[in-house]
């Protein structure tokens, strides 16, 4: 055993004496230089301090210190005066020495005996040292003995609750030829020597381990809180429009990844139109989830205004800067109108929407894409992408496609390939995309996916969906024509008489309102789904009607109030080409 590195820290050694000299304690050198009776100079060492030249040598060292010159170190090598047992016994760490292939106990120091109790010399470690089995050290000691290479295990706990970091160091035979003809390793140790052993050096790291565990517990609770907040702010149940089938999936990042601010939403706008939202707050933890919740609430409020997608993002951009200027968020907002068969969308720094046709061809929504929300100073614009019957649209966050080892465009291309072969219900498509892109429970980022299908209806199912429209030129004949048209259409759709009468009355009032307050061109549209009847009138004037209380003497102002009273819901919006649309809905009996 070589104690050269230890000697600088052990009392009674030449290096310790030199250190004491440097700390200006000359008495310490004189004390350690005092010879013991009967001791003589060791081989390779200088004479002891009691020799005739010792005083002169000490004087020279004192002179050298006074003059600022480094002093020559000399004195006894008192390391030989301390036995290995005494050195190891003074260490505060736990030390044990075992020898042979069955690891028989040769020595344990006082610290080891205090921690685990005394151990009988000569007994095997497997029988007399159960703590080594608790620490899973016995196989490691076999490996150390065979390889002659030290091994360390960190922060392992025993039944008493203490944690130890243990180093197993091979101790080879001091002399003798290699055993069984095996060669020596680079350091000269005999591999597989029957006389070899293992020195175990264990440091108590219980305080450090407990602090680390408290930190892990705190981080785990913080993450659980963020996940709970995140999930509570997401839609608990998606709205299911008449013309679309929708499913969504949210998966938080793994335990080593903090929860982000991914979100999605589905908002029915009335008249069969549906808003689809996907977003991602660029942050982690509870704060990102809280910002996400505020943005999602704001999107729902702005959507109720039935504004074009780019105007919704314009309002959201200003709000995001007010909420937290340091939190940047991306968002894609799209509106589906079943009468048009397309998505009108706007994007604030978000990844492109993907649409899969019925034949498997995948299209990527191109520009316009503006900067993320909260940056300000940008005028957002809207774009369109076709969503015909039989097609599927996918909105997603970057956690699905972004990988550290590749460009994000490669991830989007991989998603396109996965989508081209993904068939089934929206939830099945969600699950397949998650698996195809390699997203697991230990993924390093949050993932949100929103899948929207516009089903192609045939047979009896198609009979539940109809559209009819009539262009109105104005004049005194417009109202009678609208009533006659509505009566014929609703009767052909085999609605109950009461519903037909209410529908004709609502169509008449909406047309009359448009004739009085609007300008041509005018159009009456009727649409039925499997759940509702929708009546809509458009004209060229962009002033939206308001419901107001009409006085008894007023000759007008009652039309919208009548519609709001008899219909399930009503609303109005400005149309992209200028003008407005006023609509109402009636729920069909189920």
């Amino acid at each position: 055993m070589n104690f050269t590195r230890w000697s600088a820290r052990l009392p009674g050694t030449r290096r310790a004496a030199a250190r004491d000299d440097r700390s200006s304690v000359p008495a310490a050198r004189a004390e350690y230089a005092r010879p013991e009776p009967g001791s003589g100079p060791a081989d390779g060492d200088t004479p002891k301090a009691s020799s005739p030249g010792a005083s002169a040598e000490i004087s020279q060292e004192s002179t050298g210190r006074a003059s600022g010159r480094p002093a020559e170190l000399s004195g006894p090598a008192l390391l030989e005066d301390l036995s290995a047992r005494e050195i190891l016994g003074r260490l505060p760490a736990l030390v044990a020495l075992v020898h042979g292939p069955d690891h028989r106990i040769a020595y344990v120091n006082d610290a080891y005996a205090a921690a685990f109790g005394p151990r009988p010399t000569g007994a095997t470690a497997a029988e007399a040292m159960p703590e080594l089995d608790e620490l899973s050290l016995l196989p490691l000691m076999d490996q150390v003995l065979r390889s002659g290479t030290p091994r360390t295990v960190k922060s392992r706990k025993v039944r008493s609750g203490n944690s130890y970091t243990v180093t197993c160091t091979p101790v080879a035979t001091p002399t003798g030829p290699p055993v069984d003809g095996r060669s020596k390793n680079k350091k000269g140790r005999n591999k597989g020597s029957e006389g070899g052993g293992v020195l175990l050096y264990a440091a108590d790291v219980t305080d450090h381990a407990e602090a680390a565990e408290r930190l892990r517990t705190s981080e785990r609770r913080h993450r659980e809180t963020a996940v709970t907040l995140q999930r509570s702010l997401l839609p608990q149940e998606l709205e299911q429009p008449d013309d679309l089938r929708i499913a969504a999936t949210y998966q938080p990042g793994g335990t080593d990844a903090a929860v982000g601010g991914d979100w999605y939403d589905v908002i029915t706008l009335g008249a069969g139109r549906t808003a689809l939202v996907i977003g991602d707050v660029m942050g982690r933890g509870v704060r990102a989830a809280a910002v996400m919740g505020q943005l999602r609430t704001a999107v729902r409020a702005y959507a109720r205004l039935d504004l074009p997608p780019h105007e919704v993002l314009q309002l959201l951009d200003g709000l995001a800067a007010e909420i937290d200027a340091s939190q940047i968020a991306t968002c894609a907002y799209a509106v589906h109108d079943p009468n048009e068969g397309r998505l009108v969308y706007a994007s604030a720094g978000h990844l492109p929407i993907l649409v899969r046709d019925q034949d498997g061809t995948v299209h990527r929504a191109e520009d316009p894409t503006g900067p993320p929300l909260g940056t300000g100073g940008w005028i957002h614009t809207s774009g369109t992408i076709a969503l015909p019957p039989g097609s599927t649209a996918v909105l997603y966050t970057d956690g699905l496609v972004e990988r550290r080892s590749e460009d994000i465009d490669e991830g989007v291309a991989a998603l396109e390939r996965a989508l081209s072969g993904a068939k089934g219900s929206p939830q099945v498509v969600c699950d397949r995309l998650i698996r195809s892109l390699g997203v697991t429970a230990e993924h390093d980022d949050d993932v949100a996916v929103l899948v929207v299908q516009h089903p192609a209806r045939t047979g009896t199912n198609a009979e539940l969906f109809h559209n009819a429209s009539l262009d109105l030129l104005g004049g005194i004949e417009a109202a009678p024509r609208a009533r006659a048209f509505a009566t014929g259409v609703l009767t052909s759709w085999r609605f109950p008489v009461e519903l037909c009468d209410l529908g004709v009355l609502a169509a008449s009032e909406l047309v009359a309102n448009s004739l009085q307050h609007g300008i041509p061109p005018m159009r009456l549209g009727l649409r039925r789904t499997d759940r509702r009847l929708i009546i809509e009138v458009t004209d060229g004037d962009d002033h939206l009607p308001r419901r107001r209380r009409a006085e008894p003497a007023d000759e007008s102002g009652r039309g919208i109030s009548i519609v709001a009273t008899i219909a399930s819901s009503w609303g109005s919006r400005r149309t992209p080409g200028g003008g407005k649309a006023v609509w109402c809905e009636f729920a069909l009996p189920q």
Side-chain angles (χ1 to χ4, degrees), residues 23-90:
S23 61
S24 301
V25 188
R29 179 172 181 83
E31 180 180 349
Y32 287 116
R34 189 179 297 114
E36 297 183 1
S39 62
D43 294 338
D45 288 322
T46 58
K48 293 186 180 288
S50 59
S51 62
S55 300
E57 189 174 322
I58 294 174
S59 299
Q60 292 174 1
E61 287 186 354
S62 303
T63 305
R65 287 196 300 270
S67 60
R69 296 190 303 271
E72 292 286 340
L73 296 179
S74 62
L78 294 184
L79 181 60
E80 288 77 2
D81 296 336
L82 294 174
S83 65
R85 180 182 298 273
E86 292 175 323
I87 294 174
L88 297 178
R90 297 183 182 184

Side-chain angles (χ1 to χ4, degrees), residues 479-489 504:
R481 287 187 60 201
R483 285 193 294 269
F485 176 77
T487 301
V489 169
V504 171

Side-chain angles (χ1 to χ4, degrees), residues 550-556 558:
E551 299 297 334
D554 292 344
E555 296 182 359
S556 62
R558 295 180 177 86

